[in-house]
Amino acid sequence: MLDQYKEQQPYLLALDSIIFGFDGESLKVLLVKRGVEEKTWSLMGGWLQPNEGLEQAAARILFDLTGLSNVYLEQLYAFGDPQRDPIVRTISVAYFSLVKIADYETKISEAFQARWFSIYDLPPLLFDHGDMVDLAIKRLRYKAAQHPLGFELLPEKFTIPQLKKLYDAVYNTEFDKRNFSRKILSTNLLIKLDEKQKGFSKRGAYFYQVDSSKYREINNSFLNFIPTSELAF
Amino acid sequence: MLDQYKEQQPYLLALDSIIFGFDGESLKVLLVKRGVEEKTWSLMGGWLQPNEGLEQAAARILFDLTGLSNVYLEQLYAFGDPQRDPIVRTISVAYFSLVKIADYETKISEAFQARWFSIYDLPPLLFDHGDMVDLAIKRLRYKAAQHPLGFELLPEKFTIPQLKKLYDAVYNTEFDKRNFSRKILSTNLLIKLDEKQKGFSKRGAYFYQVDSSKYREINNSFLNFIPTSELAF
DNA sequence: CCAAAAGTGTTCAACATACACCCATGA
DNA sequence: TCATGGGTGTATGTTGAACACTTTTGG
């Protein structure tokens, strides 16, 4: 009975994370220089440990790099081309996560060589990590079109213009601010605060925060901002 | 350099397939009785071989069971809970596929104990296979809402009423035939044939086939039939 | 001739899109 | 006072949803 298991070849199982951040201007991915190929930028990654689930391992690896937990984390895809790692055959399950850049900016550089790169200006990446990033961007666009993901990339308090800049960056376009604002507010997911952003503009924009009870509850009926042609898979 | 690889624990890697079919009335999943637990129904699955990619392995396993190749096949999710297989820790990458039941009906029972089950009347399943099926159904609904997947489940020639029944079955609802027909035809993906279906209804419905050049080309802007509440993840 | 399924059009409401002006404030 | 970004409303077209009658033909 166990025989059919014993005959089988086991494989190394890695996890790689596409970590997205938003600095107020453009959508960024966090890359590191690590391990085997110290000269090449790569995604943050690690090995599955015997007692861990996949998502748990991805969360651990993300924590090791950023010191963050409780961040948005979603399985992207399992990559298993026999040649993807030229040294030893490895299956990699890629996860993508959305983090608030400001939450940890200081901690990252401490332990790892890590840097944020604009998604439009990426260096050559290790193995198939470039494919992973491409797929993650597609997925982010696809998903953010129907689900209110954007908040995961912004601080607790944010302004509508900031949120619009984020969507502009994700879709590499420029949405109409009147339509954008109307549509976002029509979801009733945002709570307007009394506070205004100071320093950036003269007038100052109102801060909002997510109504977290509704945020979890409502994953329906969201933005349709994407040019339809972007929705193709 | 290789050391960091050698220290790592390898794992068994399995593939499991959620195979959807449509018999004209309801949406079905193909289940088998196999291997370790011969008393429990399970998904068709197998082991990754050293020279195969993941999708390639899934396609091979699907071929072994059904004799079909060139079917719709899409990676669903990687399942890796430490306890999911109580005998040996195994990571399973699940794929879902859409097949035309009529294409092979005879071949399947030959080598495996296999049976089609309505998605609303599934037996208890091995390990976490129930979760896999649940997720696959969600994914199918989600995806079929925006992409013209339905044709993969029907014969080459099909009628609009057949197609509607399929969508009714997938979403467990009843679409309006006038709206359905208008919307489907507005995609220009269907070519009307001169031939009518005989035997089923007195009047007979026209056969259509997919315009395969457009089918590949256009993955944009498709059906929005789903009640919005179904779109939640 | 009648039962059963096929086929087709119109109206209404909701929503996406396009577009332009006034407001508040720091410099 | 003026330059900069913040904030708002309206008109138009498109699209989804609801809804009912006529057509065909095998029995």
Side-chain angles (χ1 to χ4, degrees), chain A residues 62-109:
Chain A
L62 187 64
F63 180 83
D64 289 348
L65 175 62
T66 65
L68 291 175
S69 51
N70 281 110
V71 299
Y72 185 89
L73 190 61
E74 178 179 325
Q75 187 181 305
L76 177 65
Y77 200 76
F79 292 79
D81 187 276
Q83 320 302 335
R84 58 174 297 281
D85 181 331
I87 301 170
V88 179
R89 178 155 194 199
T90 303
I91 312 306
S92 171
V93 181
Y95 278 77
F96 80 96
S97 66
L98 307 178
V99 305
K100 308 179 200 299
I101 287 193
D103 280 6
Y104 69 107
E105 233 167 347
T106 50
K107 300 181 190 163
I108 43 174
S109 352

Side-chain angles (χ1 to χ4, degrees), chain A residues 5-216:
Chain A
Y5 284 93
K6 284 188 183 143
E7 289 165 11
Q8 296 306 322
Q9 170 78 38
Y11 304 91
L12 291 181
L13 206 143
L15 297 122
D16 288 295
S17 288
I18 299 93
I19 305 170
F20 287 110
F22 179 65
D23 64 358
E25 287 304 322
S26 68
L27 188 63
K28 309 240 158 165
V29 174
L30 189 59
L31 300 177
V32 299
K33 284 195 175 176
R34 57 151 177 165
V36 189
E37 292 250 8
E38 298 203 352
K39 288 167 189 165
T40 311
W41 289 100
S42 75
L43 294 169
M44 181 65 188
W47 302 103
L48 180 67
Q49 298 308 122
N51 56 338
E52 289 176 319
L54 296 172
E55 180 159 335
Q56 197 181 348
R60 169 181 56 79
I61 291 162
L62 187 64
F63 180 83
D64 289 348
L65 175 62
T66 65
L68 291 175
S69 51
N70 281 110
V71 299
Y72 185 89
L73 190 61
E74 178 179 325
Q75 187 181 305
L76 177 65
Y77 200 76
F79 292 79
D81 187 276
Q83 320 302 335
R84 58 174 297 281
D85 181 331
I87 301 170
V88 179
R89 178 155 194 199
T90 303
I91 312 306
S92 171
V93 181
Y95 278 77
F96 80 96
S97 66
L98 307 178
V99 305
K100 308 179 200 299
I101 287 193
D103 280 6
Y104 69 107
E105 233 167 347
T106 50
K107 300 181 190 163
I108 43 174
S109 352
E110 292 170 16
F112 298 85
Q113 263 194 73
R115 231 189 84 190
W116 290 103
F117 288 84
S118 158
I119 61 168
Y120 298 109
D121 193 19
L122 294 171
L125 293 180
L126 190 69
F127 301 164
D128 52 359
H129 290 191
D131 298 336
M132 293 180 178
V133 173
D134 290 346
L135 186 61
I137 293 169
K138 269 195 189 174
R139 181 82 140 255
L140 177 61
R141 286 181 173 159
Y142 189 83
K143 192 139 191 201
Q146 280 135 336
H147 304 270
L149 289 186
F151 313 125
E152 305 286 354
L153 290 158
L154 292 175
E156 289 301 308
K157 299 173 181 177
F158 52 88
T159 67
I160 304 274
Q162 281 177 329
L163 189 60
K164 181 178 114 57
K165 272 189 184 163
L166 168 57
Y167 276 87
D168 288 348
V170 168
Y171 294 105
N172 196 26
T173 183
E174 182 130 358
F175 296 111
D176 182 277
K177 65 175 174 170
R178 292 159 287 191
N179 294 336
F180 183 85
S181 158
R182 177 157 9 95
K183 190 154 194 180
I184 287 285
L185 294 175
S186 76
T187 63
N188 280 333
L189 244 97
L190 298 192
I191 300 170
K192 189 176 191 172
L193 306 179
D194 274 335
E195 201 182 345
K196 277 191 169 182
Q197 184 187 40
K198 304 288 281 181
F200 176 65
S201 78
K202 299 176 182 174
R203 179 170 175 178
Y206 278 102
F207 279 116
Y208 287 78
Q209 67 181 30
V210 178
D211 183 335
S212 42
S213 61
K214 286 186 191 161
Y215 180 48
R216 290 285 161 203

Side-chain angles (χ1 to χ4, degrees), chain B residues 47-65:
Chain B
W47 302 103
L48 180 67
Q49 297 308 123
N51 56 339
E52 290 175 316
L54 296 172
E55 180 158 336
Q56 198 181 346
R60 167 181 56 78
I61 291 163
L62 188 64
F63 179 82
D64 288 348
L65 175 62

Side-chain angles (χ1 to χ4, degrees), chain B residues 101-115:
Chain B
I101 286 191
D103 281 5
Y104 69 107
E105 234 167 348
T106 50
K107 299 179 190 165
I108 44 173
S109 355
E110 290 170 17
F112 299 85
Q113 263 195 72
R115 231 190 84 190

